[in-house]
Amino acid sequence: MSHRVAVLALPGLVTADLGCALQVFGPGALPGVPDAGDEIVVCGAGGAAVPTGDGFDLVVRHGPGALAGADTVVVPGYVPGWDAAPPADVLDALRRAGARGACLVAISVGTFALGHAGLLRGHRATTHPAAARRLAERFPGTTVPAGVPCVVDGNLLSCAGPAHADELARLLGRGEEPGAHHPVPVAALRSALSDTCWWALQHLDRPLGLADLAGHANLSERSLLRHFHDEVGTSPKQWLLGARLDRARRLLETTTLPVDAIARLSGFPSSDALRARFTASFGVPPTTHRRAAH
């Protein structure tokens, strides 16, 4: 069965955000990723012409009723009216989609539409950095973590904007080729450890250990181990190793840096340590993987 995706274009639509949704869900839009077979429809509040925030109207054939049969609902950003509630029929359609368990994806200030529908209460969410404080103020039951570009909480997924399309695609299972080694950032974002995991990903070149993660999370090492096991599904040590291997793989595929430099940037103590771990995980040494990728 195909996966049905409804993209809700609200008045003032940010067309770059719409492009992000089409990049993630459109047929063959992501290089190297097979067509997922998504059935995608763009709908508007009135099912007619939608004024965009970029100076032209977008003609759509469907109204908010298209959300009724969607497995995933995407809400791109819309300006300047994001701080005011969308029409009642739009809010009702969003609430019904959330109630039946559809995946709700908000891009940039599109997160506000979910807030107006009452869907963010008691959840974590993010939005465009310039609007993050307002999101927290406007919907006080929502946790808005600082500096986190993408957040998954239950069936709610929000990202700060189109710049994070690749991360959004990975979170939705569409951003990696089959068999790719992508160990944990996705799982980490689903937990209360999200801030610490994102901090660690930004400092992988450092010799991070259990004590560093526990200190950042303001937990004892024993509590951190328990939370990782319960919420991330692995140990902090294995999480860090997976993240380092993922960093090394990406650098091999996208740069011409020598292996010893990649080892340092990925937090391995030496190029030999990287080679041993990489070969054990991927079945080939780093240089062979690089040749195959190019």
Side-chain angles (χ1 to χ4, degrees):
M1 292 180 62
S2 64
H3 184 93
R4 302 188 65 185
V5 181
V7 182
L8 179 61
L10 294 172
L13 171 74
V14 177
T15 55
D17 292 359
L18 173 62
C20 174
L22 297 177
Q23 178 186 352
V24 172
F25 291 102
L30 289 165
V33 179
D35 182 0
D38 295 321
E39 177 187 335
I40 186 167
V41 60
V42 179
C43 57
V50 177
T52 73
D54 298 298
F56 63 91
D57 290 350
L58 178 73
V59 177
V60 297
R61 299 178 180 177
H62 305 277
L67 273 61
D71 302 293
T72 296
V73 174
V74 186
V75 187
Y78 54 105
V79 294
W82 46 269
D83 206 24
D89 58 344
V90 170
L91 297 178
D92 288 343
L94 287 171
R95 292 185 190 111
R96 287 194 295 270
R100 71 168 187 275
C103 178
L104 303 178
V105 180
I107 302 172
S108 185
V109 292
T111 309
F112 280 77
L114 301 185
H116 291 302
L119 297 169
L120 299 183
R121 191 175 299 112
H123 293 283
R124 293 161 54 83
T126 193
T127 186
H128 190 284
R133 178 178 293 181
R134 180 56 181 159
L135 184 71
E137 293 173 347
R138 188 72 174 78
F139 309 108
T142 306
T143 300
V144 184
V148 179
C150 294
V151 172
V152 176
D153 190 339
N155 66 327
L156 304 177
L157 191 153
S158 53
C159 74
H164 305 288
D166 288 343
E167 182 62 29
L168 173 61
R170 286 195 295 274
L171 290 169
L172 290 163
R174 288 166 167 76
E176 294 286 0
E177 63 278 9
H181 182 84
H182 187 71
V184 227
V186 171
L189 284 170
R190 297 181 185 275
S191 76
L193 299 173
S194 175
D195 293 349
T196 293
C197 290
W198 277 108
W199 172 82
L201 291 174
Q202 294 164 6
H203 299 90
L204 282 180
D205 57 328
R206 302 180 184 179
L208 300 175
L210 181 63
D212 300 293
L213 297 180
H216 186 274
N218 197 28
L219 295 170
S220 69
E221 294 184 13
R222 182 175 180 179
S223 294
L224 184 78
L225 285 168
R226 185 179 69 253
H227 281 292
F228 253 86
H229 180 270
D230 293 343
E231 302 174 32
V232 183
T234 189
S235 69
K237 180 179 179 180
Q238 288 302 115
W239 186 88
L240 280 170
L241 174 60
R244 295 188 193 286
L245 286 168
D246 194 56
R247 164 79 58 84
R249 178 181 64 82
R250 292 178 183 280
L251 290 173
L252 287 164
E253 294 171 354
T254 60
T255 76
T256 58
L257 291 170
V259 173
D260 59 345
I262 290 176
R264 288 195 302 272
L265 290 170
S266 303
F268 289 94
S270 67
S271 57
D272 287 341
L274 170 58
R275 289 187 186 95
R277 291 290 191 177
F278 196 94
T279 303
S281 293
F282 294 98
V284 294
T287 51
T288 302
H289 181 85
R290 169 174 271 169
R291 285 196 298 270
H294 292 86

